[in-house]
Amino acid sequence: MRHLRLAFAGTALAAMAATSSALAATEIQWWHAMGGALGERVADIAKGFNESQSDYVVVPTYKGNYTENMTAGIAAFRSKQPPHILQVFEVGTATMMAAEGAIKPVYEIMGDDFDAAAYLPTVTGYYTTPDGRMLSMPFNSSTPVLYYNKEAFQKAGLDPNTPPATWPEVFEAVKATQAAGYPCGFTTAWQSWVQLENFSAWHDLPVGTKANGFEGLETEFTFNSPAHVKHIQTLADSQKDGVFKYGGRRGDSQALFTSGECVMYMQSSAGYAGIKKTAQFDFGIGMLPYWPDIAGAPRNTIIGGATLWVFDGHDAKDYEGIKAFFEYLSSPEVQAEWHQGTGYLPITFGAYDLTKSQGFYDANPGTETALLQMTLNEPTANSKGLRFGSYVQARDIINEELEAIWSGQKTAQQGLDDAVDRGNKLLRKFEKAND
């Protein structure tokens, strides 16, 4: 009996010690916008980090889509109860930079031993200061690509291994696939991001002045140029014969492609996992088409997705934990697994090299396309990215005006002129608030 009491006491002490150790771990709150399967992968990353050491515990919390998550984070900061880490999509960069006293830059957290050169410059350039210091930690970065139905190409007598490279080739391919019985030629997701923002970078055209906002405030939008107008009007006119079909502002149009109705689909590289899961046909991946009569095309595309911003005002021990977590998050093994499982870009050269050495690109043709497209040429002031104030709201304006164009209520010239005018008013308002 005495031995039983001693054994029980020993077990109790061990349990108490384990509990005490767990309680001693510093908790890091991570608010994110990854739902569904992506949310499960985020949870797995946090779990992997938590199990790799015992000093810190990262707690991931889903707060809704990108806009909802960013709004929740800002509200929490104003109430003086911010999380440690907030996932913010790329168009929120200027807003986060302007939030005085809210943000602790990543370069301060990571310190002198942080090697920025280990990260893909096409990713980090979007989130750095003019002198190259990283403001937020890249996490889920993507760029749009062209998905196409290989079976439809085969039936139409087209080479299933050669996607169209130019817009004229896209329209020629649609003629053949429609003749083969496919009603819709192509659709697009994220119309502002793909058909205006990346269209601009791909053709080395500015979205706005001052290097697309990277050189400071007092910018003006310029996406109503003759080249932009021609492109959008061509898409609008193409609806008449089912060549182009609009399917929604975000990823709502994906079913048009995966059901086999539309033969081609311009969507994020991060759409790969979902398309692979739902498409009942073999599909390929190509670079975005370009207009060969526009000088400078093709250049390079720009990223979408999000980075991880760190709020200021937490304890020094918390920032040590954040640094440890970011180091884990950026490791080649974690990034390679994230990249291969989701279609998001690997953020480091190490993850890219590991993925290649594992034979992933050979086993999954087309999955390297996004990286090749983003690094096709050295970025220019027009193709580095965007940094406009209130661009989240500006995108809403662009979406409204594009929908007016698709519905025939406005010409492309009228709609883009109105979007520029309304957007410029937002910019002036943002400048006044951050003067």
Side-chain angles (χ1 to χ4, degrees):
M1 193 69 181
R2 180 172 178 273
H3 292 297
L4 285 174
R5 283 198 299 269
L6 288 172
F8 177 78
T11 302
L13 286 170
M16 288 172 65
T19 302
S20 176
S21 176
L23 289 174
T26 300
E27 191 172 280
I28 307 296
Q29 292 292 332
W30 174 18
W31 289 7
H32 66 86
M34 303 274 91
L38 288 174
E40 293 173 5
R41 288 187 176 273
V42 163
D44 286 341
I45 289 174
K47 181 181 178 183
F49 172 72
N50 294 341
E51 292 177 348
S52 71
Q53 45 71 55
S54 58
D55 294 326
Y56 313 102
V57 174
V58 169
V59 182
T61 304
Y62 174 66
K63 288 288 183 175
N65 63 34
Y66 282 139
T67 304
E68 293 165 343
N69 188 52
M70 183 174 172
T71 300
I74 292 172
F77 168 72
R78 288 173 178 166
S79 65
K80 299 183 179 181
Q81 292 183 315
H84 296 85
I85 303 170
L86 182 70
Q87 183 187 28
V88 178
F89 56 163
E90 85 286 5
V91 294
T93 300
T95 300
M96 296 300 288
M97 289 177 63
E100 189 173 350
I103 301 305
K104 191 173 183 66
V106 162
Y107 68 81
E108 288 187 9
I109 296 168
M110 304 307 287
D112 295 336
D113 57 347
F114 180 61
D115 183 13
Y119 295 76
L120 297 176
T122 48
V123 173
T124 57
Y126 207 118
Y127 306 106
T128 55
T129 61
D131 58 356
R133 295 181 297 175
M134 200 177 298
L135 296 166
S136 57
M137 177 58 68
F139 175 48
N140 58 304
S141 295
S142 60
T143 200
V145 292
L146 176 72
Y147 297 91
Y148 67 99
N149 186 330
K150 282 190 170 185
E151 292 180 12
F153 269 47
Q154 185 97 42
K155 291 179 182 178
L158 302 170
D159 183 353
N161 297 313
T162 305
T166 68
W167 277 103
E169 289 174 6
V170 167
F171 293 120
E172 285 299 315
V174 172
K175 286 182 183 178
T177 56
Q178 285 187 325
Y182 292 87
C184 166
F186 64 89
T187 186
T188 186
W190 303 97
Q191 55 180 355
S192 176
W193 182 52
V194 178
Q195 302 303 337
L196 278 181
E197 296 158 34
N198 269 281
F199 170 84
S200 300
W202 198 220
H203 293 83
D204 200 15
L205 299 169
V207 174
T209 59
K210 291 203 168 186
N212 287 340
F214 272 80
E215 294 177 356
L217 302 177
E218 299 180 2
T219 55
E220 297 279 342
F221 287 124
T222 59
F223 54 79
N224 57 342
S225 75
H228 291 96
V229 170
K230 176 189 173 184
H231 175 64
I232 296 301
Q233 191 63 58
T234 299
L235 296 189
D237 294 342
S238 298
Q239 294 179 110
K240 299 171 186 175
D241 300 318
V243 174
F244 166 58
K245 186 170 183 178
Y246 176 58
R249 296 182 178 185
R250 292 175 175 258
D252 321 60
S253 52
Q254 189 151 302
L256 294 174
F257 176 69
T258 56
S259 68
E261 181 179 349
C262 293
V263 172
M264 287 171 278
Y265 182 38
M266 280 156 269
Q267 163 66 305
S268 167
S269 58
Y272 173 76
I275 292 172
K276 186 175 182 179
K277 183 178 180 180
T278 55
Q280 300 299 310
F281 51 81
D282 189 19
F283 65 89
I285 304 173
M287 294 188 184
L288 289 182
Y290 65 94
W291 289 103
D293 59 337
I294 298 180
R299 189 72 207 177
N300 64 277
T301 53
I302 56 177
I303 61 173
T307 54
L308 305 181
W309 291 78
V310 179
F311 279 106
D312 202 0
H314 293 292
D315 293 337
K317 181 70 173 177
D318 297 359
Y319 293 115
E320 292 174 11
I322 292 168
K323 177 181 178 180
F325 175 58
F326 282 172
E327 288 172 345
Y328 173 85
L329 185 71
S330 301
S331 66
E333 295 76 15
V334 172
Q335 274 299 308
E337 184 176 356
W338 171 256
H339 163 54
Q340 294 172 29
T342 64
Y344 282 113
L345 304 172
I347 63 172
T348 65
F349 288 105
Y352 185 22
D353 292 340
L354 178 59
T355 298
K356 284 193 288 187
S357 69
Q358 292 173 338
F360 180 78
Y361 299 130
D362 293 331
N364 299 273
T367 51
E368 193 178 10
T369 300
L371 285 153
L372 298 175
Q373 180 179 262
M374 281 195 65
T375 57
L376 185 65
N377 289 295
E378 190 72 21
T380 68
N382 297 328
S383 66
K384 181 180 179 181
L386 312 177
R387 193 168 286 176
F388 299 109
S390 299
Y391 200 69
V392 177
Q393 294 87 345
R395 262 196 184 162
D396 290 337
I397 289 172
I398 292 170
N399 282 325
E400 290 172 8
E401 296 297 342
L402 285 176
E403 287 171 344
I405 295 169
W406 306 145
S407 65
Q409 298 174 46
K410 296 182 180 182
T411 64
Q413 186 72 68
Q414 292 169 331
L416 294 182
D417 284 348
D418 289 346
V420 164
D421 181 60
R422 294 173 64 192
N424 284 339
K425 290 176 181 176
L426 265 183
L427 292 177
R428 303 292 79 80
K429 185 176 179 181
F430 180 83
E431 290 165 13
K432 188 175 180 180
N434 294 279
D435 197 0

